[in-house]
């Protein structure tokens, strides 16, 4: 319940950002530099006099879009790989899963750094890099579930009817993965939010002057003692976002 | 009378801790047209492995010969919860066997599904439900119905009633008996329950540690068996149910 409320808040914030922001998040105002909380600037202004509230709204949207794309890539390819290896087994399973283990052995942020090192930094490169880094964990989860399902009696029955492997996977296995996928997507989304913030903080993701939550934290670092507001609000939003999705993920996990 | 199934010298070998282990050891038997053959044995004796080998679900480590007279024998499994796809409606599940075969159009398929629901004495309204919304007995009826959709002449029933309440058990047994007569269906009926086997089967065989130790007409095995293991089983069953 709390999870849903927190998540709802963040989503509304992100949607709001898509339609209208109080100020242009990129507009600088020399007079308002480092100004504190006021009615005109509810979260204050940063070192260039840009409205932090507007930047947070746009940043949330940016972070969510990136995280969602990352999870989408991870889930899509992870499901394909996990289903094929889990269902067919044998040497194919052995080869792919050992490769998977090799990728899984690297911390995902490090892996993403390497990929960005190859492709250059930027928003789309970040999505691609984190997406690839996220595939193995999804593949592993899906494979485990498919292994369990494929030995159930109803799959055996369908085999006896003479159904093709393709049909068995598509019609009889994939729909039954949804509970497992649901909770791992929510947890994965969390990790993606953190990873995005971390990568942008390192300057590998969203490029200035565009805001993202991690980007804002990274820029605030230099002024954290003189003007803490620049770091506090993006930080709080990240915490709310992660907390919301964790609680939601826990709930979905418990229900199934 | 002809055999619908002829099994000769069937062995299934598993590797257990690198030591070979014969789950099914040199089994030979047949099932005749229109007959219910009982396979009795305690859990872990290799009954289910035998049935899987006969159907070709189990392939690794199988040797010996299995001959089917008809194509596509079907199977009814023990646990009615695990043998129905939880994310599909009953109507879809029943249609699947003939949809896969692809011989009929949509209308004909639906007609056949409705026919089958009548045959297993179920309300057609259940077609819109999901498996978890049904009782254990209803689910087992659906499993039987689904197994019969392709009109097989030979059915393997692996402990179809042992997960059910006693009252529901007898209803399902009655249903199997009825279908057996109406459709001239041959059945290999696998059970650990001697009383159930006695009430349903024409012939029975007893399995112990992967081997068939006794085989013959029902009454002969029940009252007049030679094998000491079978004898102890039968004595136990008689005293248990007569007291």
């Amino acid at each position: 319940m709390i999870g849903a409320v927190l998540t709802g808040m963040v989503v509304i914030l992100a949607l709001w950002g898509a339609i209208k922001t109080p100020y242009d998040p990129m507009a600088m105002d020399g007079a308002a530099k480092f100004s504190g909380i006021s009615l005109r600037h509810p979260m204050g202004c940063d070192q260039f006099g840009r409205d932090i509230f507007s930047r947070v709204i746009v940043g949330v949207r940016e972070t969510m879009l990136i995280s969602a794309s990352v999870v989408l890539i991870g889930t899509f390819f992870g499901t394909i790989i996990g289903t094929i290896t889990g269902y067919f087994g044998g040497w194919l399973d052995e080869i792919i899963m050992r490769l998977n283990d090799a990728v899984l052995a690297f911390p995902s942020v490090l892996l993403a750094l390497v990929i960005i090192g190859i492709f250059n930094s930027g928003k789309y490169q970040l999505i691609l890099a984190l997406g690839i880094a996220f595939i193995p964990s999804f593949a592993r989860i899906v494979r485990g579930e498919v292994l369990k399902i494929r030995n159930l009696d109803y799959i055996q029955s369908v085999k006896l009817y003479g159904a093709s492997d393709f049909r068995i996977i598509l019609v009889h296995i994939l729909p039954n993965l949804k509970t497992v996928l649901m909770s791992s997507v929510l947890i994965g989304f969390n990790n993606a939010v953190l990873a995005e913030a971390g990568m942008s903080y390192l300057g590998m993701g969203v490029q200035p002057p565009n805001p993202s939550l991690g980007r804002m934290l990274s820029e605030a670092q230099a002024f954290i003692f003189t003007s803490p507001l620049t770091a506090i609000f993006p930080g709080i939003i990240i915490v709310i976002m992660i907390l919301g999705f964790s609680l939601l993920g826990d709930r979905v996990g418990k229900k199934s | 009378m002809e055999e619908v199934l002829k099994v000769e010298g069937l062995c299934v070998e598993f590797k257990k801790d690198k030591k070979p282990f014969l789950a099914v050891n040199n089994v030979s038997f047949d099932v005749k047209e229109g007959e219910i053959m009982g396979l009795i044995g305690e859990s872990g004796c290799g009954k289910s492995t035998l049935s899987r080998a006969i159907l070709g679900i189990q392939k690794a480590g199988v040797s010996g010969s299995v001959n089917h007279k008809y194509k596509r024998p079907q199977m009814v499994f023990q646990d009615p919860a695990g043998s129905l796809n939880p994310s599909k409606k009953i109507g879809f599940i029943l249609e699947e066997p003939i949809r896969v075969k692809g011989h009929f159009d949509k209308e004909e398929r639906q007609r056949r599904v409705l026919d089958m629901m009548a045959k297993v004495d179920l309300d057609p309204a259940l077609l819109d439900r999901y498996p978890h919304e049904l009782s254990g007995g209803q689910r087992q009826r659906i499993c039987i119905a689904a197994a019969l959709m392709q009109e097989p002449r030979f059915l393997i029933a692996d402990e179809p009633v042992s997960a059910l309440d006693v009252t529901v058990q007898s209803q399902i047994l009655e249903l199997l008996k009825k279908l057996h007569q109406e459709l001239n269906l041959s059945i290999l009926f696998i059970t650990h329950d001697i009383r159930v086997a006695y009430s349903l089967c024409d012939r029975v065989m007893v399995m112990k540690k992967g081997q068939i130790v006794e085989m013959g007409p029902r009454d002969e095995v029940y009252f007049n068996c030679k094998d000491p293991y079978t004898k102890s089983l039968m004595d136990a069953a008689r005293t248990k149910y007569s007291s």
Side-chain angles (χ1 to χ4, degrees):
Chain A
M1 188 56 215
I2 301 169
V5 170
L6 292 180
T7 309
M9 269 166 55
V10 176
V11 169
I12 287 171
L13 211 59
L15 287 178
W16 185 4
I19 301 161
K20 189 181 176 335
T21 52
Y23 291 87
D24 177 357
M26 255 69 108
M28 302 184 198
D29 179 0
K33 225 176 192 182
F34 291 129
S35 65
I37 296 172
S38 65
L39 277 177
R40 296 186 53 184
H41 299 290
M43 290 184 185
C45 289
D46 67 2
Q47 72 274 25
F48 297 119
R50 296 176 296 196
D51 181 44
I52 294 182
F53 185 52
S54 302
R55 287 178 71 75
V56 162
I57 296 177
V58 175
V60 163
R61 188 189 68 198
E62 206 70 356
T63 300
M64 281 185 90
L65 279 180
I66 293 174
S67 307
S69 315
V70 165
V71 171
L72 199 72
I73 292 176
T75 316
F76 184 75
F77 291 102
T79 305
I80 291 177
I81 293 173
T83 314
I84 290 174
T85 54
Y87 184 78
F88 291 105
W91 57 267
L92 187 77
D93 178 37
E94 203 61 40
I95 292 174
I96 295 182
M97 287 325 281
R98 288 302 78 78
L99 281 174
N100 204 53
D101 285 344
V103 177
L104 207 56
F106 293 101
S108 54
V109 171
L110 181 65
L111 190 73
L113 275 177
V114 171
I115 297 171
I116 282 181
I118 300 169
F119 293 117
N120 247 328
S121 54
K123 184 171 143 192
Y124 298 104
Q125 287 88 331
L126 179 72
I127 291 176
L128 185 73
L130 285 178
I132 293 174
F134 271 58
I135 293 172
S137 60
F138 280 102
R140 189 147 278 277
I141 292 166
V142 169
R143 177 176 172 271
E145 193 66 13
V146 170
L147 274 180
K148 210 167 73 190
I149 294 176
R150 117 184 140 166
N151 288 322
L152 287 178
D153 288 341
Y154 69 85
I155 299 294
Q156 306 291 355
S157 310
V158 180
K159 269 189 191 160
L160 284 177
Y161 303 154
S164 63
D165 289 330
F166 184 68
R167 183 170 179 86
I168 293 176
I169 288 176
L170 214 63
V171 177
H172 297 279
I173 293 183
L174 283 183
N176 292 307
L177 292 174
K178 61 173 182 274
T179 37
V180 145
L181 276 180
M182 196 61 186
S183 58
S184 45
V185 158
L186 285 172
I187 295 167
F189 189 85
N190 253 342
N191 294 335
V193 168
L194 276 182
E196 189 280 328
M199 295 298 286
S200 294
Y201 177 80
L202 293 175
M204 302 289 173
V206 175
Q207 296 300 307
N210 294 316
S212 91
L213 295 179
R215 181 80 235 157
M216 291 173 75
L217 275 184
S218 136
E219 283 169 12
Q221 199 182 14
F223 322 105
I224 193 146
F225 292 114
T226 50
S227 178
L229 284 183
T230 47
I232 286 174
F233 285 110
I236 287 177
I237 298 293
I238 291 180
V239 170
I240 291 178
M241 222 161 148
I242 301 230
L243 206 61
F245 277 103
S246 304
L247 291 172
L248 216 59
D250 274 359
R251 220 178 127 75
V252 172
K254 255 179 218 145
K255 252 191 190 165
S256 55
Chain B
M1 210 181 247
E2 237 184 309
E3 294 95 5
V4 289
L5 169 73
K6 201 166 172 63
V7 176
E8 265 170 297
L10 186 72
C11 295
V12 181
E13 189 183 276
F14 289 132
K15 289 266 192 302
K16 202 176 169 188
D17 302 329
K18 287 188 179 166
K19 267 179 259 163
F21 164 74
L22 273 178
V24 175
N25 188 358
N26 197 19
V27 167
S28 303
F29 69 96
D30 52 32
V31 178
K32 300 200 164 49
E33 185 94 57
E35 172 186 59
I36 303 184
M37 177 68 152
L39 172 57
I40 303 170
E42 57 190 12
S43 41
C45 76
K47 308 187 295 275
S48 294
T49 312
L50 176 61
S51 66
R52 275 157 200 271
I54 290 171
L55 287 173
I57 300 173
Q58 169 78 34
K59 287 192 185 91
V62 178
S63 60
S65 79
V66 176
N67 285 305
H68 291 280
K69 184 181 172 194
Y70 301 106
K71 268 186 208 161
R72 298 238 168 108
Q74 291 296 329
M75 182 149 174
V76 176
F77 292 90
Q78 171 174 5
D79 173 21
S83 42
L84 297 173
N85 188 339
S87 60
K88 294 280 182 260
K89 286 182 178 167
I90 300 301
F92 184 96
I93 293 174
L94 282 187
E95 212 184 315
E96 184 69 2
I98 41 177
R99 191 187 298 112
V100 164
K101 259 176 94 185
H103 286 177
F104 311 113
D105 58 14
K106 181 91 188 151
E107 230 165 89
E108 173 68 10
R109 290 204 299 261
Q110 306 239 289
R111 201 182 59 74
R112 284 175 177 247
V113 167
L114 283 174
D115 274 3
M116 189 52 78
M117 286 298 270
K119 273 194 189 124
V120 297
D121 306 320
L122 284 176
D123 182 358
L126 294 181
L127 290 174
D128 267 332
R129 304 265 182 86
Y130 286 96
H132 66 89
E133 298 173 304
L134 269 54
S135 71
Q138 286 172 329
R139 275 197 288 241
Q140 198 55 286
R141 279 170 197 266
I142 295 294
C143 290
I144 293 170
L148 295 178
M149 282 309 290
Q150 288 189 342
E151 302 179 325
R153 304 299 307 276
F154 175 49
L155 185 72
I156 295 184
D158 187 357
E159 303 258 19
V161 296
S162 42
L164 305 172
D165 295 341
V166 180
T167 47
V168 184
Q169 263 189 13
S170 59
Q171 289 164 13
I172 297 288
L173 290 176
E174 280 308 312
L175 174 69
L176 277 174
K177 228 181 256 181
K178 187 190 98 179
L179 292 170
H180 158 71
Q181 277 157 7
E182 272 177 20
L183 309 171
N184 192 28
L185 194 66
S186 315
I187 303 177
L188 175 61
F189 189 88
I190 302 174
T191 182
H192 66 268
D193 192 330
I194 293 160
R195 191 180 46 112
V196 164
Y198 185 79
S199 71
L200 191 70
C201 303
D202 303 310
R203 282 196 303 152
V204 295
M205 52 187 166
V206 179
M207 197 171 186
K208 185 198 176 191
K209 289 185 178 161
Q211 284 175 305
I212 301 293
V213 291
E214 184 91 34
M215 176 156 49
R218 172 187 75 172
D219 287 324
E220 200 152 303
V221 172
Y222 197 62
F223 294 109
N224 200 10
C225 51
K226 282 145 251 154
D227 178 73
Y229 172 73
T230 314
K231 208 166 159 42
S232 67
L233 275 182
M234 297 300 159
D235 285 346
R238 268 198 299 269
T239 48
K240 188 174 164 193
Y241 296 115
S242 60
S243 60

